[in-house]
């Protein structure tokens, strides 16, 4: 029996003390520690356990948020007219793919600049992508790759929001180039202010999973685009009449909403960022419940309101009500009681029902209702945080929301204007009337189904 | 080195004994325990590990069962005619949303009454929703929130079953009001008899994941509704002829079935209720395998039978065969061998093929085949338990099934009749012919696709 | 305090040594070990932890790969003409169901023959299905059931690949009988060569998650079938003109691609086969990231190339580009850097754009492009392994690919030829023109949507 080996757990100080003991006392102590040593393999597993749980949360959360890309694609494909469905599908799979590459190449570094909070520092990080493929670093508490995977999905979600608003009237390539800038530069910079340890987080702004950072940001980018792009041909008559352009496939739209709802469990739950303790597991559970409750409340509220106001329940409002409930709870899904989650989500549903026609009055053409759902409900969710979360303030929440809003809107507007004045944003009127599928892609989504 | 601090693991008794030792012996013992103390953070993680695993099982199982709401929505939207698709989608997202609120507000308390097994006790729990957002309670072994999340999804699934049977001929609001009662009161009460520690569980009834408690219960509520509501206009000719009314989109119906199949891994696997030991992980694995095998067998059996009987494989029967296989194994997915799971599931497939036309003979109009799939295969699954599970009996299984059947049928019938005699259940004949989408909602699911 | 009980962790040697100590020294040592003893329940949990994590990886990976069955179904249903959609859906749910039973009954044993590497041994294992329902065996490190579940999904995926290529012109039953042989015999044998510890694994072939074993194998089976079956009527004009037969529902096709993409995280990530250490969790994370990056790169590359070559982005090429990127990275998703994953995936995208028209020149009619995506990109992925994985060689990779290719092609061709010469593979020309849905199944997927 090698006594020294058995006692490797002891400190140097302890060892010298130990050496001064008589032999038989050393033996007694050695015997005692043997039990520990024999349990060593289990100790090794336990050392890793929290790391594995944390990583697993990012991976499960990540694939759920990944699936939101499919949710956005189905929602948008269902809410555009059939002549633009192929284009909408193309934009959605393309924007997700582009986001992956742009976020890796530029965005991830911008978002976590470490000490490089200067212009030079920012520039220095560009095109020097972090290596996330190294060995497991137990000290960080989770796998670097799992964090990258999870963060990427949030970046891509931001871009997905934009595509819905601008549907049916923007050419493919300018949209994709905008996506490169949004996912590679604009989102990572504003996200770094909070999640990268930047000035907003230091100032006390609170946005748990991104009501502002993801949803409102996507909404602002969409809003800037919608204003610069203008509405679809024929959407707003000269007499002020709003012409409804109903979605072509509400089955897909509903499927998309359910997929987004499911993905949101990963979106909000994964944003706990840890699963390695019972307290974390409990927190993730509370987040799942609150997230679900807010969505339910948003949907029910939209259902009741459309019944009361229009005497008919409007499915698209119910779908957007659920989504607005989800966006509303995203800034603070952990702290509210269930009742809190319900009323926060319900107000999200109210927002949708009133904001959708309001945008039409402003002649801002938002094809899928993304601005009410993501921007306005995102504002509401951000402002609702101080009701339940200690250490937050309405003022600071407003400052955070406004700062990100101004930055994203201005940056997006510049990119949209540059694209408009160079390659142009809109197809010709003939192409738009014909539909982008035939005009730009030469491929119809439903080539065999006669148009009624 | 603070010796006292290092020895905090010791009991008070131990400490007094320790104090009586000479100093150098104290030092020896202290050194020995230091190794343990240094490992303390890992100990802390290990304490939580089972709690985290159990909670994680509920959360993963829960989001999979959540997704079954999408599965039901797609299955039903695909199996109704296109003029009622928006309505079916609306009902599905609405019922899920309502279930969330009703189960929280009333149902969850009714389902776990603790000591309140009297009428007064029941009433007392209503409108005093349990708080599930507190700190993690290690003693329970899982997060209260994760349990609520998981249980809610079962409640919602019960309501989803009803919507399919009654499709195409029931107005939106009476259906939704029924949903409130079903998810807030009827389901929680019958579920409490078994899963809330009530009389059925004490009497030895066995229903692992809910062949009776969820599926047959949903089926009974649907059956009561179908009888009271009557068949769709034109479904049964005066000459006894059954007019087929084929579903409008078998792509969505198949997608819905696959989603339900996937969700069932969470439904049955999560019902193990624990993942904190190797034995539990092993049990969940066996459940996954048996669940999959029963579904496969049900589908294959329905395929072979429709080929033999009708000389043509019937996709809708294959889809329902898979679902019937799933329902059949749900009462006891852990104990059968794989071969057992296969024959249990296969008989589920047989049931579907013979029960669907049988219901038509009885002029019970079940639009999606939910009664054969959920009620009759649920009966079969419940009765099959004693073949593999020790301590169960055919008599007790029958008693449990019949008790729940009678309670749910009577309670549901009362609600349906009250709704019928007050606000009415059916739209006008004109509205039904026109389709509920145009008549009640003013929104078509496929507005551009001409009807053939 | 029972000292002996407290010291059960000690060895016999230790105990005799301990007994020779004076009482008060014994007491000191006993106190020290008490801390360990008190922590005993947590120790027990830790023993199981790795087992649970490993099992959980198989279960999560397994249900994700399960969902790929839905992905294939949607992709194929979207890419065939509406007159063959019900048939394509039927084939997909049927093949998955059949795979489950055939793999259990025969395949799983063939795939892991243990010592039975002779013809007699092989035959001996047939129809003597392994029992996977026993108690947890901690020594294996994971639940046997979870492994079976995971492996089954790979087998089924192989069969899913075949159905897409042969769509719109093969009768249901010969296809299903082929599926029985493929999933029960052909796939398990070739997979045993590598994953069952067979000669390819011993020779140093490397195929992490199955670029060759699953994807190319499915592609070879499809290729043999396509050649023997011949192209769809009217696909290739006598003047050499290729008649486009556009898919009927690109929404479903895109959904299918997103589902497959998500499922691939389970496919590749689960193939790490372990999650019980931080190193494994880290590896799974890297695999998730690389898998996602390869898909993104494949999609982007196909998008750019179709724009450059055809002046129009082709959505079906983008979808297949993403899938080809996924197949390409599947042989070695762990070792490449992110940049490596990107260029490996991008070449997958290139392959699709050039191989699809090439097959048409050879008059091999591959309805969904499965041969480029799974066989050719699978070849590329297999050959790319030595760029990043130590201990692999281009020669051995080629030998492995070619061996499996020859075996699967020859075995499949024999089965196809036997089926052709007995029950026949193709429907009559009239039936094919009418569409298999009406002709063979009597059930249309979209009965109400008029054909344009």
């Amino acid at each position: 029996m090698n006594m020294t080996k058995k006692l490797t757990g002891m400190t140097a100080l302890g060892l010298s003390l130990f050496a001064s003991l008589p032999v038989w006392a050393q033996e007694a102590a050695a015997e005692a520690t043997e039990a520990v040593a024999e349990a060593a393999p289990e100790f090794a597993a336990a050392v890793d356990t929290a790391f594995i749980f944390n990583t697993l949360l990012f991976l499960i959360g990540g694939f759920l948020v990944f699936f939101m890309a499919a949710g956005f694609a189905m929602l948008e494909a269902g809410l555009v007219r059939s002549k633009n469905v192929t284009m909408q599908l193309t934009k959605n799979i393309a924007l997700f793919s582009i986001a992956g590459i742009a976020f890796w190449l530029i965005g991830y570094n911008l978002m976590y600049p470490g000490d490089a909070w200067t212009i030079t520092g920012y520039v220095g990080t560009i095109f020097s992508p972090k290596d996330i493929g190294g060995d497991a670093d137990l000290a960080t508490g989770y796998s670097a790759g799992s964090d990258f995977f999870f963060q990427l999905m949030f970046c891509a979600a931001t871009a997905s929001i934009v595509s819905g608003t601008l549907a049916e009237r923007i050419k493919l390539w300018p949209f994709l180039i905008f996506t490169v800038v949004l996912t590679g530069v604009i989102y990572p910079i504003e996200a770094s202010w909070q999640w990268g340890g930047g000035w907003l987080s230091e100032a006390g702004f609170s946005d748990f999973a991104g009501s502002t950072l993801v949803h409102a940001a996507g909404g602002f980018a969409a809003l800037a685009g919608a204003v610069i792009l203008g509405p679809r041909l024929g959407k707003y008559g000269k007499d002020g009449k709003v012409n409804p352009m109903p979605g072509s496939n509400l089955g897909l739209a509903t499927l998309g909403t359910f997929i987004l709802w499911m993905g949101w469990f990963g979106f909000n739950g994964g944003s706990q960022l840890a699963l390695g303790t019972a307290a974390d597991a409990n927190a993730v559970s509370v987040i799942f419940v609150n997230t679900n409750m807010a969505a339910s409340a948003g949907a029910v509220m939209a259902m009741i309101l459309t019944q009361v106001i229009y005497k008919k329940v409007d499915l698209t409002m119910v779908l957007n009500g659920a989504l607005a409930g989800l966006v509303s709870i995203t800034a603070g899904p952990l702290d509210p009681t269930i009742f809190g989650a319900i009323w926060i989500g319900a107000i999200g549903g109210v927002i949708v029902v009133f904001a959708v026609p309001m945008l039409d009055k402003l002649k801002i053409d938002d094809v899928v209702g993304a601005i009410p759902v993501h921007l306005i409900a995102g504002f509401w969710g951000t402002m609702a945080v101080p009701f339940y979360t200690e250490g937050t303030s309405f003022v600071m929440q407003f400052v955070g929301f406004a700062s990100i809003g101004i930055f994203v809107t201005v940056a997006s507007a510049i990119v949209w204007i540059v694209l408009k004045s160079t390659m142009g944003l809109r197809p010709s009127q003939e192409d738009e009337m014909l539909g982008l599928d035939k005009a730009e892609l030469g491929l119809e989504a439903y080539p065999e189904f006669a148009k009624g």
Side-chain angles (χ1 to χ4, degrees), chain A:
Chain A
M1 186 173 69
N2 183 332
M3 231 174 267
T4 315
K5 192 178 165 196
K6 293 286 178 196
L7 294 165
T8 45
M10 298 197 176
T11 60
L13 176 66
L15 279 172
S16 74
L17 177 74
F18 183 80
S20 68
L21 293 175
V23 167
W24 56 264
Q26 285 184 8
E27 283 172 338
E31 279 300 325
T33 51
E34 187 172 18
V36 177
E38 284 188 348
E42 288 75 41
F43 269 76
V47 173
D48 291 356
T49 302
F51 182 95
I52 300 170
F53 275 125
N54 295 339
T55 298
L56 190 57
L57 180 69
F58 279 136
L59 295 180
I60 294 174
F63 75 65
L64 287 173
V65 183
F66 163 83
F67 204 39
M68 291 174 74
F72 280 112
M74 292 303 107
L75 179 66
E76 297 174 13
L79 291 181
V80 300
R81 289 166 296 176
S82 62
K83 65 183 177 181
N84 294 314
V85 171
T86 303
M87 176 58 92
Q88 206 58 27
L89 296 166
T90 303
K91 283 174 181 164
N92 270 276
I93 194 160
L95 76 84
F96 182 84
S97 302
I98 287 170
I101 294 172
F103 189 68
W104 164 68
L105 198 59
I106 316 175
Y108 191 57
N109 308 288
L110 282 183
M111 190 165 159
Y112 299 104
D115 299 328
W117 286 99
T118 60
I119 293 290
T120 346
Y122 267 142
V123 173
T125 65
I126 298 178
F127 294 102
S128 55
K130 286 196 176 71
D131 177 23
I132 59 99
D135 288 338
D137 179 1
L138 286 178
T140 58
Y142 54 81
S143 164
S146 70
D147 175 63
F148 173 81
F149 184 72
F150 189 66
Q151 296 300 336
L152 162 59
M153 299 308 160
F154 281 63
C155 179
T158 309
S160 293
I161 294 164
V162 182
S163 67
T165 296
L166 307 182
E168 305 205 273
R169 64 196 188 281
I170 187 170
K171 289 193 291 183
L172 177 61
W173 285 99
F175 172 76
L176 296 181
I177 292 171
F178 179 81
T179 300
V180 172
V181 182
L182 179 66
T183 60
V185 180
I186 298 174
Y187 169 79
I189 286 179
E190 57 96 358
S192 77
W193 295 352
Q194 179 75 7
W195 293 339
W199 69 276
L200 276 177
S201 66
E202 291 185 5
F205 181 60
S206 180
D207 189 7
F208 193 87
S211 284
T212 290
L213 271 74
V214 173
H215 294 283
F220 280 116
L223 178 62
V227 170
I228 291 164
L229 193 61
R232 287 168 290 179
L233 290 175
K235 177 67 186 173
Y236 302 113
K238 288 181 182 168
D239 51 355
K241 210 190 144 207
V242 178
N243 294 311
M245 294 175 167
S248 54
N249 190 331
L250 298 190
L252 290 190
T254 304
L255 174 66
T257 302
F258 273 117
I259 292 174
L260 287 166
W261 191 328
M262 180 167 74
W264 233 288
F265 297 126
F267 199 94
N268 286 359
S271 293
Q272 175 67 13
L273 306 180
L275 187 69
T277 67
D280 283 319
N282 196 54
V284 175
S285 303
V286 170
I287 292 167
F288 269 51
V289 171
N290 282 346
T291 299
N292 191 66
M293 285 300 171
S296 292
V300 169
M301 185 54 85
M303 188 171 68
I304 292 172
L305 279 181
T306 53
Q307 176 69 39
V308 168
I309 298 174
Y310 304 109
K311 310 300 173 205
K312 287 178 176 177
V313 170
D314 182 333
L315 174 60
T316 63
M317 287 290 190
V318 176
L319 300 179
N320 274 334
L323 297 176
L326 289 162
V327 171
S328 300
I329 199 65
T330 293
L334 176 59
D335 296 326
T337 60
I338 289 185
F339 181 74
I342 288 175
W343 74 262
I344 290 172
I347 290 179
V350 175
I351 286 170
V352 159
V353 174
F354 289 102
V356 166
M358 188 191 77
L359 277 176
D360 272 337
K361 276 200 187 142
L362 298 169
K363 298 197 177 176
I364 295 170
D365 186 11
D366 179 0
V367 177
V368 304
I371 293 170
V373 166
H374 298 277
L375 197 166
I376 308 182
F379 174 67
W380 158 239
T382 304
M383 295 310 294
V385 170
F387 288 115
Y388 290 99
T389 302
E390 280 182 42
T392 59
S393 76
F394 295 108
V395 170
M396 195 54 229
Q397 293 301 96
F398 185 82
V399 168
F401 180 85
S403 311
I404 287 174
I406 292 166
F407 169 72
V408 173
T409 306
V410 170
S412 297
I414 291 170
V415 180
W416 288 125
I417 289 167
V418 168
L419 288 168
K420 187 177 185 178
S421 59
T422 51
M423 65 198 304
L425 292 175
R426 287 188 81 128
S428 70
Q429 293 207 359
E430 293 72 32
D431 283 1
E432 188 176 333
M433 297 303 289
L434 182 64
L436 304 184
D437 292 2
K438 276 188 184 168
E440 235 191 298
L441 302 177
L443 192 65
E444 290 179 272
Y446 308 109
E448 298 181 47
F449 300 162
K451 304 306 176 280

